[in-house]
Amino acid sequence: MSEKTLTRMDLSEAVFREVGLSRNESSDLVESILKNLSDALVKGDTVKISSFGTFSVRSKTARVGRNPKTGEEVPITPRRVLSFRPSHLMKDRVNSGNAR
Amino acid sequence: MIKSELIQKIAEENPHLFQRDVELIVSTVFDEIIEAMAQGNRVELRGFGAFSVKKRDARVGRNPRTGASVDVDAKYVPFFKTGKLLRDRLNNE
């Protein structure tokens, strides 16, 4: 399997192909989708995209970590992390597509 | 926020586009990401995050209720890693 990395450019190219807007406008729209997703998450919203998946923000409490190299204890401050739960459709497509 | 609310926002920001075009644009973006991963590719969206595929090896699992062992096949699962900018924004704003 030859693994490729797609970027924003490939997503705008898909929008350009499917919708027939200019390349510039297609790339602005991709950017705007990502910005709206990010802004909602930063506000603490859960973002649920049906047949894609759910992004949710979880709060983690402070804990004591350890520098694995030196063994030294370091405090880890409370933080918010993003988790993504793929939809069944995504899981099925990804598994069947790669199992071949 | 759900998909229809995202579509609504994009439609408001782009009053010159038809609603059905905005719906198509939003679905195209998400479908393209799934399609890429289904082909074993990675999608890297700087500042937001990266979608990739991880292989989970076959293993012997257990039915937690009965304790019976069951063979779990190897599988490929979607994985998302949050981008640095978004991770920072989640904690600095």
Side-chain angles (χ1 to χ4, degrees):
Chain A
M1 187 195 321
S2 60
E3 189 189 306
K4 266 198 314 182
T5 297
L6 280 77
T7 62
R8 280 171 168 73
M9 235 176 48
D10 300 283
L11 299 185
S12 343
E13 194 62 27
V15 170
F16 168 76
R17 219 171 43 226
E18 295 286 330
V19 193
L21 302 171
S22 72
R23 281 203 163 80
N24 260 334
E25 194 169 11
S26 300
S27 98
D28 288 349
L29 282 156
V30 169
E31 208 50 57
S32 155
I33 290 171
L34 295 176
K35 184 178 187 301
N36 275 290
L37 294 175
S38 304
D39 288 352
L41 293 165
V42 168
K43 273 196 303 179
D45 272 11
T46 292
V47 175
K48 206 176 234 163
I49 307 294
S50 63
S51 76
F52 186 79
T54 304
F55 296 92
S56 56
V57 180
R58 289 184 310 156
S59 293
K60 295 192 143 193
T61 54
R63 63 190 172 92
V64 179
R66 211 175 266 282
N67 179 328
K69 208 168 295 182
T70 64
E72 188 189 348
E73 284 189 356
V74 279
I76 296 177
T77 53
R79 63 193 61 216
R80 293 199 301 167
V81 296
L82 180 55
S83 71
F84 174 67
R85 217 181 149 230
S87 68
H88 270 289
L89 180 119
M90 180 189 281
K91 284 202 230 173
D92 290 349
R93 302 262 322 263
V94 167
N95 189 46
S96 57
N98 286 279
R100 274 180 276 130
Chain B
M1 180 164 84
I2 59 174
K3 192 173 174 183
S4 58
E5 292 166 333
L6 173 65
I7 290 168
Q8 200 48 48
K9 288 241 179 168
I10 309 283
E12 281 163 20
E13 290 170 7
N14 297 276
H16 61 292
L17 296 179
F18 290 115
Q19 172 91 10
R20 61 161 197 276
D21 285 339
V22 178
E23 285 166 12
L24 180 58
I25 291 160
V26 170
S27 321
T28 298
V29 167
F30 291 118
D31 289 351
E32 194 70 12
I33 296 173
I34 295 181
E35 194 45 44
M37 282 192 288
Q39 292 172 21
N41 295 326
R42 197 181 132 77
V43 182
E44 191 173 309
L45 304 167
R46 285 283 162 89
F48 182 76
F51 295 91
S52 58
V53 180
K54 291 202 168 183
K55 184 179 185 199
R56 299 270 178 261
D57 287 328
R59 63 189 170 86
V60 179
R62 252 169 219 290
N63 179 328
R65 201 176 321 214
T66 64
S69 52
V70 275
D71 289 332
V72 181
D73 290 342
K75 63 181 170 189
Y76 292 87
V77 296
F79 178 77
F80 176 74
K81 182 169 191 261
T82 312
K84 188 175 183 324
L85 181 70
L86 182 52
R87 206 182 329 128
D88 291 347
R89 280 189 68 199
L90 284 168
N91 289 292
N92 294 337
E93 281 195 17

